[in-house]
Amino acid sequence: MYEYKTKGTCSQKIFFDIEDNKVKNVQFVGGCNGNLKGIGKLVEGMDVDDVIARIEGVKCGMKSTSCPDQLAQALKNCSVPVVVTGQRFPDVACVYNDDHTAARELTQRMLEHGRRRIVYIGGSERDDATGIQRREGVQDALRDAGLDGDQLPRICCNAFTVEEGQRCMQELLTRCPFLDGVVCVTDTVAFGAMHALKQAGRQIGRDVGLAGIGDSWAGSVTDPGLATVRFYQKQVGQEAARILLQMLEEKEYGGPVRQVTLGYQVVERGSL
């Protein structure tokens, strides 16, 4: 439960809870008991922002504030600044990777190596960044090359593991025996796909191109080396911390929402 010491009112303190951004259990200490109980019941279950919008600035007589206004100030003061990393959400401070453009450029590099029958091993589309943005990036690269991106053969793995990459690759080899390029949602999935391709007698980098995303250290020691995308994860954390410190230093969080998209680097290795 939050506690707020009021200023300039008959009430001395306000106690309240916030659950799922809803105002709960408002209790005033001091002041007009009946009226303040009524305010507590009226705002019960309302969104924090709605309560602030309705009662902030209410004055009591000649005073510059009031008990309702003090409740609004209490709710504003308990707001916790949040910076999301790795995903983009509207109206929330975010630092995220350009998953769409990265996957698009990676696929373009594969196309430049003469691959035309490309398949994709993706992830759950409940995750916008890895599930949707990366898949759409691959499809857009195919469209740019005059191919039918909508008909991209693809499969979603249940987890980003070597085992799932191997299973998905085996299924795609059955469905698309003439495939000549594979883009994977992560490097770990690509390692499983690499194992399945070798088991099937495909020579990676010659018969079929293979690429992942994430720049795992292991990709530099596989045979052949795994083509991938390098994201700057340390910079993500640094930028998120910088934004968070700025938000903490500001008295209000009502300024423009900061959203930062970070760059990437395509790392070409022998698997293309």
Side-chain angles (χ1 to χ4, degrees), residues 10 17 20 23 45 74 78 100 111 113 119 127 132 144 162 177 190 196 203 205 217 229 237:
C10 297
D17 291 317
D20 297 325
V23 178
C78 78
H100 180 278
L111 288 162
H113 281 73
V119 301
D127 185 313
I132 297 176
D144 292 343
V162 172
Q203 291 193 335
W217 67 269
V229 171

Side-chain angles (χ1 to χ4, degrees), residues 14-231:
I14 308 173
F15 295 93
F16 58 93
D17 291 317
I18 296 177
E19 299 176 9
D20 297 325
N21 206 45
K22 306 288 186 185
V23 178
K24 302 277 189 178
N25 306 319
V26 175
Q27 300 173 39
F28 288 83
V29 176
C32 181
N33 185 51
N35 288 340
L36 296 179
K37 281 184 177 178
I39 291 172
K41 288 186 177 295
L42 286 172
V43 302
E44 180 73 17
M46 288 178 57
D47 284 345
V48 170
D49 294 337
D50 290 340
V51 174
I52 294 171
R54 291 194 181 194
I55 64 177
E56 184 177 19
V58 172
K59 296 180 181 180
C60 181
M62 299 299 294
K63 297 178 181 179
S64 62
T65 186
S66 66
C67 293
D69 179 59
Q70 286 296 294
L71 174 58
Q73 302 312 311
L75 293 172
K76 290 176 68 175
N77 286 341
C78 78
S79 298
V80 178
V82 173
V83 181
V84 176
T85 61
Q87 295 283 353
R88 184 181 183 183
F89 295 103
D91 303 321
V92 177
C94 304
V95 182
Y96 56 94
N97 298 310
D98 192 351
D99 290 275
H100 180 278
T101 308
R104 184 174 184 169
E105 185 176 342
L106 181 65
T107 307
Q108 288 171 339
R109 299 286 184 94
M110 186 171 285
L111 288 162
E112 290 169 1
H113 281 73
R115 312 300 180 188
R116 288 296 181 271
R117 298 182 297 277
I118 294 174
V119 301
Y120 179 63
I121 302 177
S124 168
E125 299 207 348
R126 289 177 295 181
D127 185 313
D128 182 71
T130 60
I132 297 176
Q133 296 302 318
R134 294 183 186 182
R135 186 258 300 164
E136 289 184 347
V138 174
Q139 290 176 307
D140 283 347
L142 296 177
R143 294 186 187 103
D144 292 343
L147 302 173
D148 191 346
D150 293 334
Q151 296 302 314
L152 169 70
R154 62 183 189 268
I155 186 172
C156 289
C157 54
N158 297 319
F160 296 156
T161 63
V162 172
E163 292 78 13
E164 273 295 285
Q166 182 175 358
R167 179 190 68 80
C168 291
M169 189 71 259
Q170 289 169 341
E171 182 172 332
L172 283 170
L173 282 168
T174 300
R175 286 167 45 189
C176 309
F178 301 108
L179 63 85
D180 66 357
V182 185
V183 180
C184 297
V185 64
T186 70
D187 283 358
T188 304
V189 170
F191 296 144
M194 179 179 287
H195 185 62
L197 287 167
K198 288 181 176 180
Q199 281 186 323
R202 304 294 180 94
Q203 291 193 335
I204 298 168
R206 193 179 78 174
D207 301 333
V208 59
L210 177 65
I213 296 176
D215 193 27
S216 167
W217 67 269
S220 63
V221 298
T222 56
D223 184 21
L226 180 67
T228 187
V229 171
R230 176 180 299 146
F231 289 128

